[in-house]
PDB file of all heavy atoms in Angstrom:
ATOM      1  N   ALA P  20     -59.200  28.305 -27.884  1.00 94.00           N
ATOM      2  CA  ALA P  20     -59.348  26.914 -28.142  1.00 94.00           C
ATOM      3  C   ALA P  20     -58.924  26.615 -29.567  1.00 94.00           C
ATOM      4  O   ALA P  20     -58.280  25.647 -29.839  1.00 94.00           O
ATOM      5  CB  ALA P  20     -60.781  26.379 -27.813  1.00 94.00           C
ATOM      6  N   GLU P  21     -59.345  27.392 -30.544  1.00 95.00           N
ATOM      7  CA  GLU P  21     -59.086  27.269 -31.948  1.00 95.00           C
ATOM      8  C   GLU P  21     -57.591  27.457 -32.201  1.00 95.00           C
ATOM      9  O   GLU P  21     -56.993  26.764 -32.933  1.00 95.00           O
ATOM     10  CB  GLU P  21     -59.951  28.207 -32.723  1.00 95.00           C
ATOM     11  CG  GLU P  21     -59.782  28.113 -34.257  1.00 95.00           C
ATOM     12  CD  GLU P  21     -60.648  29.045 -34.972  1.00 95.00           C
ATOM     13  OE1 GLU P  21     -61.773  29.303 -34.640  1.00 95.00           O
ATOM     14  OE2 GLU P  21     -60.160  29.627 -35.982  1.00 95.00           O
ATOM     15  N   PHE P  22     -57.046  28.548 -31.475  1.00 95.00           N
ATOM     16  CA  PHE P  22     -55.599  28.837 -31.558  1.00 95.00           C
ATOM     17  C   PHE P  22     -54.757  27.602 -31.064  1.00 95.00           C
ATOM     18  O   PHE P  22     -53.881  27.151 -31.751  1.00 95.00           O
ATOM     19  CB  PHE P  22     -55.291  29.963 -30.699  1.00 95.00           C
ATOM     20  CG  PHE P  22     -53.816  30.350 -30.635  1.00 95.00           C
ATOM     21  CD1 PHE P  22     -53.237  31.218 -31.578  1.00 95.00           C
ATOM     22  CD2 PHE P  22     -52.998  29.884 -29.676  1.00 95.00           C
ATOM     23  CE1 PHE P  22     -51.891  31.563 -31.521  1.00 95.00           C
ATOM     24  CE2 PHE P  22     -51.698  30.223 -29.526  1.00 95.00           C
ATOM     25  CZ  PHE P  22     -51.139  31.076 -30.498  1.00 95.00           C
ATOM     26  N   SER P  23     -55.254  27.058 -29.971  1.00 95.00           N
ATOM     27  CA  SER P  23     -54.470  25.847 -29.422  1.00 95.00           C
ATOM     28  C   SER P  23     -54.526  24.706 -30.305  1.00 95.00           C
ATOM     29  O   SER P  23     -53.607  23.978 -30.391  1.00 95.00           O
ATOM     30  CB  SER P  23     -55.092  25.561 -27.996  1.00 95.00           C
ATOM     31  OG  SER P  23     -54.844  26.566 -27.121  1.00 95.00           O
ATOM     32  N   LYS P  24     -55.736  24.410 -30.870  1.00 96.00           N
ATOM     33  CA  LYS P  24     -55.899  23.232 -31.780  1.00 96.00           C
ATOM     34  C   LYS P  24     -54.964  23.398 -32.919  1.00 96.00           C
ATOM     35  O   LYS P  24     -54.251  22.451 -33.345  1.00 96.00           O
ATOM     36  CB  LYS P  24     -57.347  23.165 -32.165  1.00 96.00           C
ATOM     37  CG  LYS P  24     -57.557  21.950 -33.117  1.00 96.00           C
ATOM     38  CD  LYS P  24     -59.041  21.842 -33.466  1.00 96.00           C
ATOM     39  CE  LYS P  24     -59.237  20.672 -34.379  1.00 96.00           C
ATOM     40  NZ  LYS P  24     -60.656  20.519 -34.758  1.00 96.00           N
ATOM     41  N   THR P  25     -54.935  24.586 -33.540  1.00 97.00           N
ATOM     42  CA  THR P  25     -54.041  24.820 -34.692  1.00 97.00           C
ATOM     43  C   THR P  25     -52.584  24.751 -34.209  1.00 97.00           C
ATOM     44  O   THR P  25     -51.830  24.152 -34.971  1.00 97.00           O
ATOM     45  CB  THR P  25     -54.262  26.256 -35.253  1.00 97.00           C
ATOM     46  OG1 THR P  25     -55.653  26.349 -35.635  1.00 97.00           O
ATOM     47  CG2 THR P  25     -53.407  26.506 -36.490  1.00 97.00           C
ATOM     48  N   LEU P  26     -52.250  25.260 -33.121  1.00 96.00           N
ATOM     49  CA  LEU P  26     -50.878  25.171 -32.572  1.00 96.00           C
ATOM     50  C   LEU P  26     -50.485  23.743 -32.324  1.00 96.00           C
ATOM     51  O   LEU P  26     -49.292  23.326 -32.627  1.00 96.00           O
ATOM     52  CB  LEU P  26     -50.732  26.016 -31.315  1.00 96.00           C
ATOM     53  CG  LEU P  26     -49.376  26.344 -30.811  1.00 96.00           C
ATOM     54  CD1 LEU P  26     -48.579  26.945 -31.982  1.00 96.00           C
ATOM     55  CD2 LEU P  26     -49.495  27.232 -29.578  1.00 96.00           C
ATOM     56  N   VAL P  27     -51.326  22.912 -31.758  1.00 97.00           N
ATOM     57  CA  VAL P  27     -51.052  21.497 -31.597  1.00 97.00           C
ATOM     58  C   VAL P  27     -50.750  20.863 -32.926  1.00 97.00           C
ATOM     59  O   VAL P  27     -49.738  20.077 -33.115  1.00 97.00           O
ATOM     60  CB  VAL P  27     -52.180  20.719 -30.825  1.00 97.00           C
ATOM     61  CG1 VAL P  27     -52.034  19.287 -30.989  1.00 97.00           C
ATOM     62  CG2 VAL P  27     -52.197  21.167 -29.409  1.00 97.00           C
ATOM     63  N   ASN P  28     -51.489  21.171 -33.887  1.00 97.00           N
ATOM     64  CA  ASN P  28     -51.309  20.552 -35.274  1.00 97.00           C
ATOM     65  C   ASN P  28     -49.931  21.066 -35.906  1.00 97.00           C
ATOM     66  O   ASN P  28     -49.190  20.248 -36.491  1.00 97.00           O
ATOM     67  CB  ASN P  28     -52.440  20.931 -36.247  1.00 97.00           C
ATOM     68  CG  ASN P  28     -53.728  20.259 -35.887  1.00 97.00           C
ATOM     69  OD1 ASN P  28     -53.662  19.216 -35.331  1.00 97.00           O
ATOM     70  ND2 ASN P  28     -54.880  20.872 -36.220  1.00 97.00           N
ATOM     71  N   LEU P  29     -49.574  22.318 -35.618  1.00 97.00           N
ATOM     72  CA  LEU P  29     -48.308  22.780 -36.158  1.00 97.00           C
ATOM     73  C   LEU P  29     -47.087  21.993 -35.470  1.00 97.00           C
ATOM     74  O   LEU P  29     -46.178  21.621 -36.059  1.00 97.00           O
ATOM     75  CB  LEU P  29     -48.122  24.323 -35.928  1.00 97.00           C
ATOM     76  CG  LEU P  29     -49.006  25.162 -36.781  1.00 97.00           C
ATOM     77  CD1 LEU P  29     -48.906  26.625 -36.298  1.00 97.00           C
ATOM     78  CD2 LEU P  29     -48.684  25.073 -38.245  1.00 97.00           C
ATOM     79  N   ALA P  30     -47.252  21.891 -34.089  1.00 96.00           N
ATOM     80  CA  ALA P  30     -46.217  21.206 -33.306  1.00 96.00           C
ATOM     81  C   ALA P  30     -46.049  19.770 -33.810  1.00 96.00           C
ATOM     82  O   ALA P  30     -44.976  19.200 -33.885  1.00 96.00           O
ATOM     83  CB  ALA P  30     -46.517  21.271 -31.758  1.00 96.00           C
ATOM     84  N   ARG P  31     -47.203  19.070 -34.031  1.00 96.00           N
ATOM     85  CA  ARG P  31     -47.185  17.695 -34.453  1.00 96.00           C
ATOM     86  C   ARG P  31     -46.600  17.604 -35.918  1.00 96.00           C
ATOM     87  O   ARG P  31     -45.697  16.749 -36.199  1.00 96.00           O
ATOM     88  CB  ARG P  31     -48.542  17.082 -34.408  1.00 96.00           C
ATOM     89  CG  ARG P  31     -48.982  16.610 -33.111  1.00 96.00           C
ATOM     90  CD  ARG P  31     -50.114  15.726 -33.110  1.00 96.00           C
ATOM     91  NE  ARG P  31     -50.940  15.873 -34.397  1.00 96.00           N
ATOM     92  CZ  ARG P  31     -52.283  16.121 -34.443  1.00 96.00           C
ATOM     93  NH1 ARG P  31     -52.944  16.253 -33.310  1.00 96.00           N
ATOM     94  NH2 ARG P  31     -52.879  16.251 -35.529  1.00 96.00           N
ATOM     95  N   ASP P  32     -47.114  18.408 -36.739  1.00 97.00           N
ATOM     96  CA  ASP P  32     -46.753  18.280 -38.180  1.00 97.00           C
ATOM     97  C   ASP P  32     -45.389  18.809 -38.486  1.00 97.00           C
ATOM     98  O   ASP P  32     -44.650  18.227 -39.264  1.00 97.00           O
ATOM     99  CB  ASP P  32     -47.800  19.095 -39.056  1.00 97.00           C
ATOM    100  CG  ASP P  32     -49.140  18.482 -38.970  1.00 97.00           C
ATOM    101  OD1 ASP P  32     -49.357  17.371 -38.528  1.00 97.00           O
ATOM    102  OD2 ASP P  32     -50.115  19.184 -39.378  1.00 97.00           O
ATOM    103  N   ILE P  33     -44.989  19.917 -37.918  1.00 96.00           N
ATOM    104  CA  ILE P  33     -43.688  20.553 -38.256  1.00 96.00           C
ATOM    105  C   ILE P  33     -42.592  20.109 -37.329  1.00 96.00           C
ATOM    106  O   ILE P  33     -41.464  19.712 -37.800  1.00 96.00           O
ATOM    107  CB  ILE P  33     -43.808  22.068 -38.259  1.00 96.00           C
ATOM    108  CG1 ILE P  33     -44.827  22.616 -39.339  1.00 96.00           C
ATOM    109  CG2 ILE P  33     -42.411  22.714 -38.509  1.00 96.00           C
ATOM    110  CD1 ILE P  33     -45.086  24.056 -39.246  1.00 96.00           C
ATOM    111  N   LEU P  34     -42.818  20.112 -36.034  1.00 96.00           N
ATOM    112  CA  LEU P  34     -41.774  19.765 -35.024  1.00 96.00           C
ATOM    113  C   LEU P  34     -41.749  18.254 -34.753  1.00 96.00           C
ATOM    114  O   LEU P  34     -40.901  17.769 -34.029  1.00 96.00           O
ATOM    115  CB  LEU P  34     -42.087  20.502 -33.707  1.00 96.00           C
ATOM    116  CG  LEU P  34     -42.006  22.000 -33.800  1.00 96.00           C
ATOM    117  CD1 LEU P  34     -42.359  22.570 -32.407  1.00 96.00           C
ATOM    118  CD2 LEU P  34     -40.698  22.451 -34.270  1.00 96.00           C
ATOM    119  N   LYS P  35     -42.751  17.482 -35.267  1.00 96.00           N
ATOM    120  CA  LYS P  35     -42.901  16.090 -35.011  1.00 96.00           C
ATOM    121  C   LYS P  35     -42.990  15.804 -33.516  1.00 96.00           C
ATOM    122  O   LYS P  35     -42.509  14.785 -33.019  1.00 96.00           O
ATOM    123  CB  LYS P  35     -41.722  15.304 -35.615  1.00 96.00           C
ATOM    124  CG  LYS P  35     -41.462  15.510 -37.069  1.00 96.00           C
ATOM    125  CD  LYS P  35     -42.647  15.179 -37.946  1.00 96.00           C
ATOM    126  CE  LYS P  35     -42.345  15.428 -39.398  1.00 96.00           C
ATOM    127  NZ  LYS P  35     -43.535  15.780 -40.108  1.00 96.00           N
ATOM    128  N   ALA P  36     -43.675  16.664 -32.768  1.00 95.00           N
ATOM    129  CA  ALA P  36     -43.899  16.451 -31.369  1.00 95.00           C
ATOM    130  C   ALA P  36     -45.023  15.479 -31.185  1.00 95.00           C
ATOM    131  O   ALA P  36     -46.006  15.392 -31.941  1.00 95.00           O
ATOM    132  CB  ALA P  36     -44.266  17.826 -30.736  1.00 95.00           C
TER     133      ALA P  36
END
Side-chain angles (χ1 to χ4, degrees):
E21 186 178 317
F22 176 89
S23 294
K24 182 178 179 181
T25 303
L26 195 54
V27 165
N28 290 336
L29 291 175
R31 278 194 339 235
D32 296 346
I33 298 172
L34 299 177
K35 305 299 181 214

